[in-house]
Amino acid sequence: MSEPRARAEELDSADELAGLRERFVLDDVVYLDGNSLGALPANVPGHLDDVVRRQWGELRIRSWDESGWWTAPERIGDRIGRLVGAAPGQIVVGDSTSVNVFKAVVGAVRLVKLTGEDRDEILVDATTFPTDGYIAESAARLTGHTLRPVAPHEVPDALGPRTAAVLLNHVDYRTGRLHDLPSLTSAIHAAGALAVWDLCHSAGALPVDLDAHGVDLAVGCTYKYLNGGPGSPAYLYVREEHQDRFDSPLPGWNSHTDPFGMSSGYEPAPGARRGRVGTPDILSMLALEAALEVWDGVSVDSVRTKSLALTDFFLECVSAYVPEGRVECVTPSAHAERGSQVALRCPEAGQIMKVLIERGVIGDLRHPDVLRFGFTPLYVGFGDVERAARVLGEVF
């Protein structure tokens, strides 16, 4: 037995989270694409069957009250809150990440405007996932602000008296680089601006601690490390101290203080409900709620510890199996700067990923030359990691 394989067996035998794998529907492939779409939690199909057959099929309209459909966005939001360090009443689930980014950025600009300060600039992460950049540009045009893209490490020097809000990604989707949320949020506040964070690649993989670090607004998807399913609804965090002044650019009947009063005038609801817009997507919403049950009894800190161990071990195995000089790791080696993925740059990355998938190792590609591997500690083991690196070496 090779030394990496023996080491994998040793690590798997000591893994306190190994039993969580049984909570998912998995086969014999090595699934390292949970940072794009999480695996299916085993309890979701049965729960959805009940939602469709009994709640919808038998109770029908009564389920808005009797099955708790109406309160699901806030109830599930509180459940996510426990994973991102947010006290109850600050997160609402619904809509897509893109829609929630729009709400958050415009809402942040409007909050700053209420202070009377003349701030007309929005900073955006220059390396962001494209949609965040598109939304930020649209928000800037609609609010009469200037948009300035800057790299996250340049933010402290770019801040100034004109800065109203800053939109940043907690983890870079291409490289897996983890940005310093506490210090960047502090710098943004010191400049008199508000911080908006995109948590798509960090929630469910590492501690975020929104409340502790004073984050103003945050958004995130639920289909990656939270395993909510394809197209599952996103969420919006509005810090409690901002909620009574949060002016959503998308007011809808669901966020009205009296939604069934059908008033022609809009009066926003209190608390996290202000982030709601229209009728919730109940089927996806309740699939997500069931999926979040896999977190019962699981500590985010323990998940982070395993995540770092998995990525460390993967890099060790890559060094052992892949011929020297064939790949370049673009993910930071320092734990403080690493999310839960490893990105390797190499020529012909597209063809290599195709072969990996054919051989049962599922990662993904970021054009033109990056192989991206996501490590979901709830169901990825050290044996998976060793096998993935070994197959990668054989491909070369």
Side-chain angles (χ1 to χ4, degrees):
M1 182 180 295
S2 69
E3 182 178 340
R5 198 176 305 183
R7 176 66 175 149
E9 291 186 1
E10 178 185 336
L11 291 168
D12 276 329
S13 65
D15 178 13
E16 296 179 354
L17 301 182
L20 297 177
R21 185 183 179 94
E22 298 177 359
R23 300 184 184 183
F24 294 87
V25 177
L26 296 165
D27 49 25
D28 62 351
V29 305
V30 177
Y31 190 65
L32 301 182
D33 206 7
N35 53 332
S36 288
L37 177 64
L40 171 65
N43 67 317
V44 169
H47 183 76
L48 269 183
D49 185 74
D50 177 73
V51 171
V52 172
R53 295 181 186 277
R54 184 183 64 85
Q55 296 181 30
W56 179 14
E58 296 177 15
L59 295 178
R60 293 178 286 275
I61 197 71
R62 291 160 53 195
S63 276
W64 285 104
D65 293 321
E66 296 181 24
S67 299
W69 289 1
W70 185 258
T71 57
E74 294 78 39
R75 182 177 70 244
I76 302 171
D78 286 346
R79 191 153 198 157
I80 292 173
R82 293 195 290 272
L83 303 178
V84 295
Q90 298 177 100
I91 293 181
V92 64
V93 175
D95 306 310
S96 67
T97 305
S98 302
V99 171
N100 283 312
V101 168
F102 180 74
K103 295 178 202 172
V105 173
V106 175
V109 167
R110 289 178 173 180
L111 284 167
V112 170
K113 187 175 182 180
L114 291 174
T115 67
E117 295 188 53
D118 186 18
R119 293 174 175 266
D120 61 357
E121 182 179 72
I122 298 170
L123 302 185
V124 65
D125 183 346
T127 62
T128 190
F129 188 78
T131 291
D132 283 22
Y134 306 155
I135 296 293
E137 195 277 332
S138 177
R141 280 189 288 112
L142 288 169
T143 59
H145 284 58
T146 299
L147 184 70
R148 183 150 63 108
V150 295
H153 71 275
E154 297 173 337
V155 166
D157 291 334
L159 292 163
R162 293 182 55 199
T163 310
V166 183
L167 172 62
L168 295 169
N169 285 265
H170 197 191
V171 173
D172 186 292
Y173 78 101
R174 290 188 187 89
T175 67
R177 176 179 290 276
L178 172 65
H179 298 301
D180 192 342
L181 182 148
S183 67
L184 287 171
T185 300
S186 179
I188 292 166
H189 288 167
L194 296 185
V196 181
W197 285 91
D198 182 329
L199 310 178
C200 285
H201 288 271
S202 57
L206 53 90
V208 179
D209 297 327
L210 293 173
D211 288 353
H213 299 310
V215 170
D216 300 294
L217 300 104
V219 301
C221 67
T222 61
Y223 47 80
K224 301 182 190 295
Y225 296 110
L226 298 182
N227 311 294
S232 57
Y235 57 90
L236 170 69
Y237 165 89
V238 180
R239 190 171 182 82
E240 185 175 17
E241 67 188 71
H242 297 313
Q243 288 179 356
D244 63 347
R245 295 176 295 117
F246 177 68
D247 182 8
S248 173
L250 295 173
W253 77 284
N254 258 234
S255 63
H256 196 285
T257 189
D258 182 17
F260 293 97
M262 302 301 167
S263 170
S264 60
Y266 180 72
E267 183 179 345
R273 279 177 52 203
R274 287 195 180 199
R276 293 174 68 151
V277 183
T279 304
D281 184 340
I282 290 299
L283 297 184
S284 293
M285 186 87 64
L286 298 186
L288 168 63
E289 183 170 34
L292 291 171
E293 291 179 9
V294 302
W295 286 92
D296 289 350
V298 179
S299 154
V300 176
D301 287 333
S302 65
V303 167
R304 175 59 169 167
T305 298
K306 182 177 176 182
S307 164
L308 292 172
L310 287 169
T311 50
D312 278 343
F313 185 57
F314 181 67
L315 291 171
E316 292 174 19
C317 291
V318 168
S319 295
Y321 289 131
V322 177
E324 186 174 356
R326 299 304 296 272
V327 298
E328 173 196 0
C329 181
V330 296
T331 301
S333 58
H335 284 182
E337 299 177 358
R338 187 194 308 165
S340 197
Q341 71 181 58
V342 172
L344 303 176
R345 177 173 287 129
C346 65
E348 300 181 358
Q351 181 59 31
I352 290 170
M353 182 55 68
K354 180 180 178 181
V355 176
L356 286 174
I357 292 172
E358 290 172 350
R359 297 187 59 175
V361 175
I362 313 299
D364 71 6
L365 171 72
R366 283 295 175 263
H367 291 288
D369 58 358
V370 172
L371 302 171
R372 197 178 69 153
F373 303 95
F375 298 84
T376 304
L378 298 182
Y379 54 78
V380 172
F382 293 91
D384 296 321
V385 168
E386 185 274 337
R387 177 182 162 192
R390 176 163 35 88
V391 173
L392 180 62
E394 293 168 357
V395 170
F396 282 106

